[in-house]
Amino acid sequence: MLDFVLKSVVTVLIPFIQMFGLYVIFHGALSPGGSFAGGMILGLGFIALNVVFGLEKGQEKFSDEMAGFLVSLGPIWYGSIGLVGILRGANFLVNKDSGLPMGEPGTLISGGMISLITLGIGIKVASTIVTLFNALTEEE
Amino acid sequence: MILGTGDLIMMIFFAILIIIALCVTFVQDLLYVVIIFGVYSLIMALLWLHLNSPDLAITEAAAGIGVTTLMITLIRRTVRREN
């Protein structure tokens, strides 16, 4: 009975947890939060899946190979976004001169490349936390 | 010195925080320690929110309640403590 309640609640909650994590990541420039907190919330969604449904089901959704790939993809994504500035003839990681749309202040598309960069860090943090959890759980 | 309502709330929070920290030291069962440590993180997040830094409050809530509790619970499962 307890198992049924846990599984039902987590099944309903996980999409909202993931959505809130992505919201915190993308609004990092506008509101409290940012890439670290958002990525942690995103990773905790996967950890909840691993805890309640078992490691096999969790591996189906977010495998170790996928986590290792994403751990490397985050910094590569960060550096590639930074190189856009050099390709446009300005400095590394420059924001306004790289040609990304600056948008209106106060709306979601307002920071230039900041939302894209925080997406990279969020992916890195989320996959690192899931990798840590899997490494600790498989110890036994 | 006149204390406002905000100072009173902060004093209560700090008192609860000190009590919880002492409890973590003196309680024997490690599972209870983990749960009490989650309450410590919750009070600390409320305190950060009261000190006008909601950014740190979100990080404290996510890292303290989620990750620390999970990790300590997992480590407690793998490590056996001798009496």
Side-chain angles (χ1 to χ4, degrees):
Chain A
M1 187 61 197
L2 189 66
D3 207 32
F4 174 73
V5 173
L6 259 182
K7 283 184 178 174
S8 311
V9 169
V10 167
T11 310
V12 174
L13 268 184
I14 279 182
F16 291 100
I17 294 175
Q18 306 277 338
M19 203 65 215
F20 181 63
L22 286 175
Y23 166 82
V24 172
I25 288 176
F26 280 114
H27 286 74
L30 298 172
S31 64
S35 50
F36 183 72
M40 202 166 267
I41 296 167
L42 204 60
L44 283 177
F46 287 114
I47 289 180
L49 192 77
N50 275 345
V51 167
V52 174
F53 287 98
L55 272 182
E56 289 80 19
K57 187 76 184 296
Q59 289 286 325
E60 278 178 24
K61 299 285 182 192
F62 196 70
S63 64
D64 274 343
E65 292 83 21
M66 188 74 181
F69 174 72
L70 285 179
V71 164
S72 311
L73 182 73
I76 292 173
W77 173 261
Y78 191 108
S80 317
I81 297 285
L83 285 177
V84 172
I86 292 184
L87 291 179
R88 300 280 297 202
N91 289 329
F92 183 67
L93 271 179
V94 75
N95 197 355
K96 196 174 180 183
D97 293 337
S98 61
L100 288 163
M102 295 305 282
E104 295 176 30
T107 57
L108 179 58
I109 306 173
S110 65
M113 63 167 58
I114 293 179
S115 295
L116 297 174
I117 282 179
T118 50
L119 178 63
I121 309 173
I123 288 173
K124 165 88 177 166
V125 173
S127 46
T128 305
I129 292 214
V130 175
T131 312
L132 263 179
F133 178 81
N134 285 342
L136 275 176
T137 324
E138 287 161 358
E139 191 71 24
E140 300 183 81
Chain B
M1 189 172 130
I2 300 168
L3 291 177
T5 322
D7 294 328
L8 195 66
I9 290 173
M10 271 186 67
M11 276 181 169
I12 295 172
F13 278 170
F14 275 123
I16 296 173
L17 215 57
I18 291 170
I19 293 171
I20 291 169
L22 287 176
C23 283
V24 168
T25 321
F26 289 119
V27 170
Q28 288 292 322
D29 194 343
L30 280 181
L31 184 62
Y32 292 159
V33 169
V34 170
I35 295 168
I36 294 168
F37 207 69
V39 180
Y40 181 90
S41 289
L42 180 68
I43 299 288
M44 201 65 213
L46 289 173
L47 207 55
W48 284 128
L49 195 62
H50 189 73
L51 289 169
N52 288 328
S53 54
D55 195 0
L56 280 175
I58 288 181
T59 311
E60 177 75 39
I65 298 171
V67 177
T68 312
T69 310
L70 265 178
M71 294 293 168
I72 296 178
T73 314
L74 280 175
I75 291 169
R76 177 185 165 274
R77 237 177 52 186
T78 58
V79 174
R80 295 268 180 275
R81 193 166 73 164
E82 294 181 4
N83 286 319

